[in-house]
Amino acid sequence: MAETEGAAAAAFITALDGAGQRHAVDTGRGRVVWRRFGDGPPLVLLHGGHGSWLHWARNIGPLARHFTVWVPDLPGYGESDLPPEPTLASLVDSTQATLDTLVAPGTRIHLVSFSFGGVVAASLAARRGAVRQLALLGTVRSEERR
């Protein structure tokens, strides 16, 4: 039974990945990999720590019926390169630079995150502006001081 479930999960992920567009955006200090699904107003989903875009796998299809869903592997996670400095500021810089390459900087976005992604999302929203709605789910507190 576990083999069948594993095969079904792998098939689901392969189909989902094939349904989207993969964008590897170079910041000059590394690349951040984003995936795009659907059509509509832009919705950005930021995953938690030690994860990847796949944290949102079951949510992408339903959301893509109403939004253009943008899902990155945050810098240093999944397929994305580690930022040059392992700081929150560097991670947010790389995320914002690559998002602004894909979605024009003044374009209003919906921004949803959970866990560690909430720390990134809050910082990104404060820096970028043009956030129509911000949802922080189960966000952890950052101990980093600026």
Side-chain angles (χ1 to χ4, degrees), residues 52-139:
S52 71
W53 72 279
L54 289 172
H55 276 176
W56 296 101
R58 296 206 179 270
N59 305 101
I60 291 169
L63 291 169
R65 291 185 204 125
H66 307 282
F67 298 95
T68 299
V69 178
W70 291 97
V71 193
D73 282 337
L74 289 172
Y77 297 93
E79 295 179 63
S80 294
D81 296 333
L82 190 64
E85 300 170 14
T87 63
L88 176 60
S90 180
L91 192 147
V92 174
D93 288 345
S94 295
T95 303
Q96 181 177 354
T98 56
L99 173 61
D100 286 348
T101 297
L102 298 167
V103 178
T107 303
R108 292 174 53 97
I109 63 171
H110 300 272
L111 183 55
V112 179
S113 64
F114 75 93
S115 190
F116 174 70
V119 175
V120 177
S123 297
L124 178 65
R127 283 188 192 182
R128 183 181 187 275
V131 174
R132 189 175 297 234
Q133 291 179 317
L134 174 62
L136 307 172
L137 310 171
T139 299

